[in-house]
Amino acid sequence: MKFATAILLVALLVPTNTWAQSVLKLSCGDITKIEVWRFRGRAWRCPPNDGGSRDGYHYPIIIYLTKEAQKRVKQVYDSTEETPFMVDDCKFLIQHVQIMAKEILIESADPTRDNFRGDEGIIITKKTKEAAFEAARQICADKVETAVFTDGS
């Protein structure tokens, strides 16, 4: 009886969205190119020493995929259930997908801005230019563009 109670307590302590996220494994063969972009956006609300951007920008990483990889991404995304996700005290419903490259999880700084719908590419977001390039190189260093693209802001 004590064992069953302990298992139940552990299950209740695990966040519900932990069960609902999907992991998409990518290799360099799935990718045609990777771009790091800089967009002006809301300031990151976080403690000053967390390594976050204070310059008012966020850095999306756009990962362009082969046709075969696009189909696989769409299947993973479509099979992922919506789960609630909190950002700055705002609740969003998202289909949470994470990227795994070279057996390392590449985490997004803001999953509510990510795009895994199986279009031409996928997008994940980082808080700093350095973090964006580090993640892009982890995914496939040979296909990372060296320049930062901007929308002119």
Side-chain angles (χ1 to χ4, degrees), residues 41-57:
R42 64 181 171 82
W44 294 95
R45 294 169 68 190
C46 45
N49 58 356
D50 76 339
S53 172
R54 292 284 172 254
D55 60 3
Y57 294 101

Side-chain angles (χ1 to χ4, degrees), residues 19 37 53 80-81 106 116 124 135:
W19 303 109
W37 282 75
S53 172
T80 303
E81 66 183 77
I106 310 295
F116 285 89
I124 64 169

Side-chain angles (χ1 to χ4, degrees), residues 1-10:
M1 184 67 175
K2 288 182 181 180
F3 180 74
T5 304
I7 295 295
L8 179 60
L9 286 174
V10 169

